[in-house]
């Protein structure tokens, strides 16, 4: 297993020199400064790769080459954006970068309602409060069809919740939900978010699946030519939000994606925190079933609220409700039959110790991820010795 670390480029408060001290040998990054609809320039790819290698590290995974909303909605500009995407894959492959993580989540990337939930030990964690999300949809976003998507009890709880927010807390909720893709220069303002959601008025689960199939049918051949493995990230959280469909939430979804374009180049990012936020997902069984098409792994855990299981917070990497050890065991067993090491990163992390003094992105502190990576490396070593 190759231990990797997500780095957001030269402006990341966590430097490559520091990453090298964490035990990670691979870097997971992207050219975040390039417009989502543009092909990545060859020179920029090689420049970033050289900077990483100059620090004794390897650019192991691209996370991510973003999929545009035009592609997801099959709207104007879709084919041009897909062509640019395929060109980027060819250029990455030519540069020796062979794994590309991406997602197909409409409008919102991973969504949290609280980016700094206090923990008993003095640290802070990411959290998702389902009722807070309902309140945002009903009373802030004011989506016309929202009321019909929730029960009377959920609407009442959301109404009570929104009354507890002062202006600062209300704005914080808006900012957290509309933040956009990690590493992107900007998310949405409320008006832009509302317009982006409205673009999906006539796109349901089946239509979004077909749009993904259309995308894959055109980019997988480029990935095959380039020797690149595509690895789709699951929905986070794995449930519909704001009336938007989600199509990468469970084993059935993963199986459909792999069969839609049946190629080794079309694979999965196995994120235990994302899949693990749905109690019905058996992650160890999923890891075993899909091991041959898992190209990248995010390991972390969550604890779901017993009263409202759609709410959760991110726990220590070996805590919570996710069977991280069971997943790791399955992946280590499968790795014996691979031709190369499986890249894995400790996903997210608590804000701990000196993290408060660094302007890191939410979920991507130094010390919290260092702790998680150390725990996961120890788990892997223990499993190897016990087998």
């Amino acid at each position: 297993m190759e231990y990797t670390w997500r780095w957001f480029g030269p402006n990341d408060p966590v430097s490559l020199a520091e990453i090298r001290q964490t035990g990670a040998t691979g870097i997971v990054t992207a050219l975040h400064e390039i417009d989502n609809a543009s092909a990545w320039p060859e020179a920029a790819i090689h420049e970033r790769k050289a900077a990483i290698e100059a620090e004794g590290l390897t650019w192991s995974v691209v996370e991510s080459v973003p999929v545009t909303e035009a592609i997801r909605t099959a709207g104007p500009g879709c084919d041009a954006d897909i062509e640019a995407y395929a060109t980027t894959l060819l250029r990455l492959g030519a540069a020796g970068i062979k794994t590309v993580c991406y997602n197909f989540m409409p409008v919102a990337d991973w969504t949290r309602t609280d980016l700094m939930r206090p923990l008993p030990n003095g640290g802070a964690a990411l959290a998702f409060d389902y009722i807070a999300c309902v309140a945002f949809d009903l009373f802030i976003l004011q989506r016309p069809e929202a009321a019909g998507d929730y029960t009377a009890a959920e609407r009442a709880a959301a109404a009570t919740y929104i009354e507890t927010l002062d202006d600062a807390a209300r704005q914080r909720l808006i900012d957290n939900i509309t933040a956009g893709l990690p590493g992107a220069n900007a998310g949405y303002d409320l008006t832009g978010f509302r317009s982006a959601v409205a673009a999906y008025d006539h796109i349901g689960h089946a239509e979004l699946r077909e749009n993904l199939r259309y995308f894959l049918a055109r980019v997988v051949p480029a990935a095959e030519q380039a020797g690149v493995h595509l690895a789709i990230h699951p929905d986070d959280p794995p449930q519909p939000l704001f009336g938007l469909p989600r199509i990468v939430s469970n084993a059935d979804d993963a199986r459909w994606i792999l069969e839609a374009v049946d190629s080794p180049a079309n694979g999965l990012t196995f994120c235990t925190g994302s899949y693990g936020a749905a109690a019905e997902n058996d992650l160890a069984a999923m890891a075993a079933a899909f091991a041959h098409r898992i190209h990248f792994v995010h390991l972390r855990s969550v604890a779901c609220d017993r009263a409202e299981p759609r709410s959760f917070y991110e726990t220590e990497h070996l805590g919570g409700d996710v069977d991280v050890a069971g997943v790791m065991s399955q992946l280590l067993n499968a790795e014996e039959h691979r031709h190369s090491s499986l890249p894995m990163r400790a996903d997210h992390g608590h804000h701990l110790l000196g993290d408060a003094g660094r302007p890191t992105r939410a979920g991507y502190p130094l010390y919290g991820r260092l702790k998680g990576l150390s725990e996961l490396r120890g788990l892997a070593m223990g499993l190897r010795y016990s087998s």
Side-chain angles (χ1 to χ4, degrees):
M1 188 164 284
E2 180 189 15
Y3 300 113
T4 67
W5 187 280
R6 189 163 191 188
W7 180 61
F8 292 97
N11 295 324
D12 194 323
V14 181
S15 70
L16 290 171
E18 289 173 314
I19 293 170
R20 191 173 180 184
Q21 298 178 48
T22 66
T25 58
I27 292 296
V28 177
T29 193
L31 301 185
H32 298 292
E33 67 274 17
I34 305 298
D35 178 80
N36 288 358
S38 299
W40 292 6
E42 292 178 45
I45 293 170
H46 286 282
E47 181 181 358
R48 186 62 52 84
K49 184 171 184 278
I52 291 167
E53 291 176 349
E55 293 292 342
L57 298 162
T58 301
W59 188 354
S60 301
V61 179
V62 171
E63 186 178 354
S64 58
V65 180
V67 176
T68 65
E69 288 302 313
I71 293 173
R72 293 191 182 102
T73 60
C78 170
D79 288 332
D81 288 359
I82 290 176
E83 183 177 349
Y85 201 102
T87 298
T88 296
L89 295 180
L90 292 170
R91 291 173 178 173
L92 288 168
I97 304 160
K98 301 301 188 180
T99 304
V100 173
C101 172
Y102 70 101
N103 78 68
F104 219 77
M105 289 180 257
V107 184
D109 192 78
W110 60 264
T111 301
R112 300 292 184 271
T113 56
D114 192 343
L115 304 183
M116 293 290 287
R117 173 175 288 188
L119 296 168
N121 66 359
L126 300 174
F128 177 80
D129 185 320
Y130 177 71
I131 294 302
C133 201
V134 174
F136 172 86
D137 196 9
L138 289 171
F139 304 113
I140 298 177
L141 189 63
Q142 297 180 335
R143 183 169 57 90
E145 304 83 4
D149 289 345
Y150 307 112
T151 67
E154 289 167 349
R155 295 194 298 269
T160 299
Y161 173 85
I162 202 73
E163 291 299 321
T164 68
L165 302 183
D166 59 21
D167 289 344
R170 184 186 180 96
Q171 187 60 51
R172 191 160 53 248
L173 179 63
I174 294 171
D175 292 343
N176 292 348
I177 289 177
T178 62
L181 190 71
N185 292 326
Y188 294 95
D189 61 18
L190 191 56
T191 299
F193 192 85
R194 188 175 286 121
S195 296
V197 169
Y200 286 82
D201 281 350
H202 300 98
I203 299 175
H205 188 272
E207 290 79 12
L208 189 61
R209 269 190 169 184
E210 286 308 308
N211 293 348
L212 174 57
R213 189 203 301 270
Y214 184 86
F215 168 72
L216 289 172
R218 283 150 183 80
V219 299
V220 168
E224 291 172 338
Q225 180 182 340
V228 166
H229 287 128
L230 291 167
I232 192 167
H233 190 285
D235 303 323
D236 189 5
Q239 56 185 276
L241 299 175
F242 320 120
L244 299 168
R246 298 285 223 183
I247 59 171
V248 196
S249 294
N250 53 46
D252 287 342
D253 290 338
R255 190 173 296 107
W256 183 91
I257 291 163
L258 299 182
E259 293 174 354
V261 177
D262 191 3
S263 165
N266 175 30
L268 308 174
T269 294
F270 199 77
C271 178
T272 57
S274 299
Y275 283 127
E280 61 271 21
N281 285 336
D282 183 338
L283 270 63
M286 290 173 66
F290 301 123
H292 63 300
R293 298 279 282 277
I294 293 172
H295 299 320
F296 184 33
V297 182
H298 292 177
L299 291 180
R300 62 179 172 85
S301 187
V302 298
C304 296
D305 189 311
R306 296 297 177 260
E308 174 44 78
R310 288 166 293 187
S311 297
F312 60 87
Y313 76 96
E314 298 191 6
T315 66
E316 294 182 334
H317 286 75
L318 302 185
D321 298 331
V322 175
D323 182 12
V324 173
V327 170
M328 176 78 86
S329 179
Q330 293 293 344
L331 295 176
L332 290 174
N333 290 338
E335 193 174 42
E336 296 178 5
H337 305 288
R338 294 174 62 93
H339 298 298
S340 60
S341 295
L342 179 64
M344 179 279 288
R345 70 173 175 85
D347 193 22
H348 297 174
H350 291 166
H351 278 69
L352 305 171
L353 304 172
D355 286 328
R358 290 178 185 245
T360 52
R361 288 166 176 80
Y364 294 96
L366 172 58
Y367 296 104
R369 285 188 290 165
L370 171 61
K371 178 175 181 284
L373 179 59
S374 298
E375 291 173 343
L376 293 167
R377 291 172 67 200
L379 172 62
M381 184 68 73
L383 289 169
R384 287 192 182 101
Y385 272 93
S386 65
S387 62

